Amino acid sequence: MSNQVNDDACWRDPERSTTERVDALIPLMTLEEKVAQLVGVWVGADASGGGVAPYQSDMVGGASWDTLIRQGLGQLTRPFGTAPVDPVRGAQSLAAAQEEIVTASRFGIPAQVHEECLTGFATWRATAFPAPLCWGAAFDPELVGQMAGHIGRTMRAAGVHQGLSPVLDVTRDYRWGRTEETIGEDPYLVGTVGAAYVRGLEDAGVVATLKHFAGYSASRGGRNLAPVPMGPRELADVILPPFEMALRLGGARSVMNSYAEIDGVPVAGDAELLTGLLRDEWGFTGTVVSDYFAIRFLQSLHGVAADGAQAAALALRAGIDVELPNVDAFGTPLIEAVKSGAVDESLIDRALRRVLTQKAELGLLDDGWQALPDEADDLDLDSAESQDVALRLARQSIVLLRNTDGILPLREGQRVAVVGPVADDPIAMLGCYSFPAHVGVHHPEYGLGLDIPSLREALGRAYPDLAYAPGCEITGDDTSGIAEAAALAADSEVCVLAVGDRAGLFGRGTSGEGCDATDLHLPGAQRELVRAVLATGTPVVLVLLAGRPYALGDEVEGATAIVQAFFPGQSGGQALTEVLTGAVNPSGRLPVSVPRDAGGVPATYLAPPLGRRTDVSSVDPTPAFPFGHGLSYTTFEWRDADGPAEWPVDGDVHVKVTVANTGSLAGTEVVQLYLHDPVAQVTRPVVRLVGYARVTLSPGERARVTFAVPADAASFTGVGGRRIVEPGEVELRFGRSFSDIEGTVPLRLVGPEREVGHDRKLLTHSTVETA
């Protein structure tokens, strides 16, 4: 390592404690060197492998690379995820840039490198995994953890240290464009699946970054960056639990602030949330990084700061440690604010300590640190193992919503037509943060970089004479192709009608960041296409490839079967074909409810009695298909729900149910456990998920499923603002969905009212034993 300070400095010694090393280093640094560790620079790797170049935008200021790295550098922003680059060349380019940073600065500390990784390492030729709604639909945290492990290992092999995932926002309004990035509408599902993702990434040596802390998904009208009219109880009981689970159970080492303003206070400047709750109460010791440009937004969008210096001061005091993606408010404005006395340098040191501690954990302070990882010379970002995990997760995520008269699986030799605007579009398989949809669309000359069969291509392998017509575009009002599509449908024995979304950013798609919807009708002329095809009388299998649930009310009553897929990734076409043809028995369950009325929103299943259908409103929010719903090609019988009569307010209760496969095919049932609290001191959701288990059974096989439920699972924020377990009558309900209950165990929580905190038990454990 080349630098200008004493080579035997103790802060370089990995044998010393991290605290000793950081304590020794901070006093040696100038103010400018300290602040340089608190910022990132957005760069793009050179395709030749020769280094990186700053990404120029109106937030950079046009500084040269040499100037940017002279005092050191905290982070490098997305060197792989800015433009297509060969993976090996990209790793070489990154290593060359790191060597320049080490050489140019006095202490020779490398930058921490971060990338997006929501649906895989967001770079060219890396596996494009299913989007997060698919993770929720699979109800399989272990498989999601395996996926994250593959993602983390490829990132680390390329020289990347931090991933900006997972998204732990709980869906509150399906019109929000970023619904596709969420895991679902239930905090327990989001938390358990999200924590598994974090464990996989962290175990691979990559820092997981929890997004977006907190409240982002509860914006008014489902609009991106809109105000959040949310009270403290909704924040505590719905929004925050997944973050607690990911920190405690997953071990996440970084958190990214939400763009939201909650009741008028922007999160980026909220010390009560970012320090009081996150650090003082929850004990988080990692780094808080800003969402891109969020610090400057305190001035430009929120209007709570007059200039960059005030914005920097607000964010730093609140608890943000690193400004991303570029040096801006944490650059010259912050330095001048410290020199003028407007900001105490101790706040700089507080953030710096967290940053350097994390760099020490990553080996970036070690003498002999290696810029190019050993694995970088032979990078395979789309290995056979990654492809296998992507395919298995895609299969488990596909939800069969309806199957009238057993039209599915399709029969061999049937005359099949496939129509619809997403049927022959590989991008329809991908979420907005997959590299081809996020970056690749701006570089069409590079191609997708992956083999991504469309539904038409994959289904055509099973049906060589497959007829096809798009019918219409995903957006727009051109209906001129609908007649041809309807004619093909009329001339077939069965029609597979594929409709839905195209993921994009800021208006370039119908789903994704900044692609919000005014209602939940299918985009463009797709409703007209659906009506025309259904009117032919041909049995129709409606396939939805979408980033949000669209309203499926009266206009689709004629669909013989309905299959829901949420951007199932590069292997989605194969997985869908396997489900449609019966090679795979569907086992996905809805992580979000499917509404019946396109305008009756927002209305997730987490609603108190007055949030359900009532006689005092003409609006019925009852969904067309409820959270947790999903069908199989086999049949299951549930019986013998059982449990004790009493449940100590400070103990666990064990409840059981027997599930039998009564059909002729092997299949997987997802047993869901819901809590019903009929009388509480504040209004409570009629039911809420507190446990689940995937149960795979052969024909005639049965299993006994046992849940060990901690009383803490029944806790909620009471009238006094404290989280409590309240004694009284409750029910634990075994359900195929929140509204399809197969067995109920009435219980009485006994003992005095009990206050619980951040150290409460978060998990319901399940066991499945063959009976």
Side-chain angles (χ1 to χ4, degrees), residues 320-396:
I320 290 180
D321 303 311
V322 180
E323 180 179 36
L324 299 179
N326 281 314
V327 53
D328 179 32
F330 270 22
T332 301
L334 180 56
I335 292 171
E336 292 178 350
V338 174
K339 289 180 176 179
S340 71
V343 172
D344 195 302
E345 191 168 350
S346 64
L347 291 174
I348 303 288
D349 290 348
R350 182 181 72 170
L352 178 63
R353 178 173 299 279
R354 296 163 184 163
V355 168
L356 293 178
T357 296
Q358 193 160 97
K359 285 195 171 187
E361 293 171 352
L362 293 166
L364 297 177
L365 300 188
D366 294 356
D367 191 20
W369 168 83
Q370 182 177 322
L372 187 68
D374 292 335
E375 310 94 323
D377 289 332
D378 189 28
L379 280 177
D380 182 1
L381 304 185
D382 189 32
S383 67
E385 293 80 6
S386 288
Q387 292 174 23
D388 176 67
V389 171
L391 177 59
R392 286 191 284 134
L393 185 53
R395 288 168 174 162
Q396 290 186 193

Side-chain angles (χ1 to χ4, degrees), residues 42 78 176-178 181 216 224-225 259 291-293 297 301 432-433 437-438 442 502-516:
W42 197 336
R78 302 193 65 184
W176 190 45
R178 303 191 79 165
E181 299 180 49
Y216 191 23
N224 199 38
L225 271 71
Y259 285 131
D291 204 341
Y292 285 12
F293 311 119
F297 285 170
L301 295 184
C432 76
Y433 267 83
H438 196 79
H442 303 295
R502 185 180 181 91
L505 278 83
F506 304 112
R508 294 193 298 271
T510 58
S511 174
E513 186 173 359
C515 299
D516 310 317

Side-chain angles (χ1 to χ4, degrees), residues 506-588:
F506 304 112
R508 294 193 298 271
T510 58
S511 174
E513 186 173 359
C515 299
D516 310 317
T518 56
D519 60 39
L520 295 176
H521 286 301
L522 286 166
Q526 293 184 77
R527 275 187 297 156
E528 287 76 3
L529 174 64
V530 171
R531 292 192 188 102
V533 172
L534 291 177
T536 65
T538 296
V540 171
V541 178
L542 181 65
V543 175
L544 295 113
L545 281 161
R548 61 166 63 84
Y550 282 102
L552 299 179
D554 294 341
E555 64 189 43
V556 299
E557 283 303 310
T560 311
I562 302 176
V563 176
Q564 176 75 64
F566 297 106
F567 295 149
Q570 67 185 46
S571 299
Q574 177 181 341
L576 272 166
T577 295
E578 290 172 338
V579 167
L580 294 175
T581 59
V584 167
N585 196 343
S587 63

Side-chain angles (χ1 to χ4, degrees), residues 702-750:
R702 62 179 181 172
R704 191 67 165 162
V705 184
T706 302
F707 291 98
V709 191
D712 292 354
S715 67
F716 60 90
T717 303
V719 170
R722 300 172 294 108
R723 179 175 287 276
I724 60 169
V725 178
E726 185 180 40
E729 307 292 335
V730 297
E731 293 178 356
L732 287 172
R733 299 176 175 179
F734 295 99
R736 300 177 191 266
S737 71
F738 86 79
S739 63
D740 187 0
I741 302 300
E742 288 286 344
T744 298
V745 178
L747 295 156
R748 180 173 182 82
L749 279 161
V750 294

Side-chain angles (χ1 to χ4, degrees), residues 81 120 228 266 274 277-278 283 395 416 458 491 547 550 581 586 625 671 689 703:
V228 174
L274 297 182
L277 177 72
L278 180 62
R395 288 168 174 162
V416 177
D491 193 41
Y550 282 102
T581 59
F625 299 99
V671 178
L689 188 72

